[in-house]
Amino acid sequence: MQLIIVTGRSGSGKSIALRVLEDLGYYCVDNLPITLMPTLVHAVVEQYDKVAVSVDVRNLPAEPSELTDALDFLPKKIKPEIIYIDSSDQVLLRRFGETRRLHPLSQKEMPLADALAVEAVMLEPLAERATWRLDSSDLTVHQLSEQIAERVLGKTASRLIVVFQSFGYKYGLPTDLDYAFDARILPNPHWVPELKPLTGSDPAVQHYFEQQPLVTKFIHQLQVFFETWLPHFQRSNRSYLTIGIGCTGGQHRSVYIAEQLAKRFADHPCKVQVRHREASRHRQPTNT
C-alpha cells in the first residue's frame, strides 16, 4: 500500500493537495490525529492500495516522540511519503486576511503572526521527514495542483521529473530546491541599456550570452555534473529534482541558463521542465 501524508502550515494548500490525491484515486482522510495513523492503516491495508492522510497542527501529539512512534509503528512494508506544503509568512497573513478564517491556534487568543511561528515549530518533526517540500507562495491553485499531481504520478511511473527553475536572489531563495547554483558571478546584460528591459528568453540577450566564454563554461560544467549524477537519482527511486539557477533579479542570466540546460537534457530519459519564478515581475506591459 502506498501511504502519503499531507501536512504543512494552515493556509498553505493542504486541502488542495488532498483533493488532487483523491482525483488520482487515493482513499483520503482529512485531519486525522497522527497517533491514529497505525490504526487506520491496519484497518484499510487489505481494501485500498493508495491512501492519503492530511495532518495539521490541531491533531499533533503533545510530545514529538509520540509522532515518531506513530510513524515507526506502521507495518514494515509501508513506507509513508510526506508532502510538506508551506508559504511565506507574508503570503499566509494575506490569505487569512482575505478569507477571514481563524487560524487553528488563534482560538487560544494568539496573534496570527505568533500562531504561524508556533505552528512551524510544532510541525518541524514532520517537515524534517518530508519526502517532498512545496512552497506555494507564488503558485496559483492550478499550479499547485499540477505540481502535486506531477510528483505523485512521477513516483508511480518511476520517471524522474527534472525542473530547471530560474529565480532572483533579491526575492529570496526558493524553499523547495534540491540544488541551487549562483549565476551572479557572470556578465550581466542589465548594464547594457538596450538589453536591460528584456529577459533571458529574448534573442538579443541570448546572442549576448553566446559571446561570453564564462557563461558557456558555466553551462557546460553544470551539464557535465548532471549528466554524471542524474542516473544515480533515477536509480535511487527519486521522482522529482528541482535545480535552481539564481541571479540577482531572476531576469537575464538565470532564465537563459535554465532554458539552455533544459534544451541540453531534452532527450534525456527524465522528463524536463522549465520554470521562471520571477516571470510575472518582468512581464512587459502591453499597450492598449
Side-chain angles (χ1 to χ4, degrees), residues 60-64 66:
L60 289 179
E63 295 295 329
E66 294 181 50

XYZ file of all heavy atoms in Angstrom, residues 60-64 66:
45
model
N -1.797 17.147 16.416
C -0.476 16.633 16.718
C -0.400 16.229 18.187
O -0.992 16.874 19.045
C 0.590 17.692 16.430
C 0.860 18.017 14.958
C 1.917 19.097 14.857
C 1.299 16.778 14.207
N 0.348 15.177 18.512
C 0.525 14.800 19.914
C 1.349 15.840 20.652
O 2.102 16.610 20.039
C 1.258 13.462 19.830
C 1.945 13.488 18.508
C 1.045 14.267 17.594
N 1.211 15.852 21.960
C 1.928 16.836 22.771
C 3.437 16.624 22.714
O 4.208 17.584 22.705
C 1.438 16.778 24.220
N 3.861 15.362 22.644
C 5.280 15.042 22.638
C 5.730 14.640 21.236
O 5.096 13.784 20.605
C 5.569 13.900 23.612
C 5.300 14.253 25.064
C 6.244 15.343 25.566
O 7.391 15.411 25.075
O 5.820 16.126 26.432
N 6.814 15.238 20.724
C 7.317 14.848 19.396
C 7.625 13.359 19.292
O 7.500 12.773 18.214
C 8.598 15.689 19.267
C 8.388 16.869 20.162
C 7.578 16.350 21.312
N 5.906 10.956 20.393
C 4.685 10.224 20.053
C 4.455 10.234 18.541
O 3.970 9.253 17.972
C 3.479 10.849 20.759
C 3.505 10.728 22.278
C 2.265 11.337 22.905
O 1.151 11.008 22.457
O 2.413 12.158 23.828
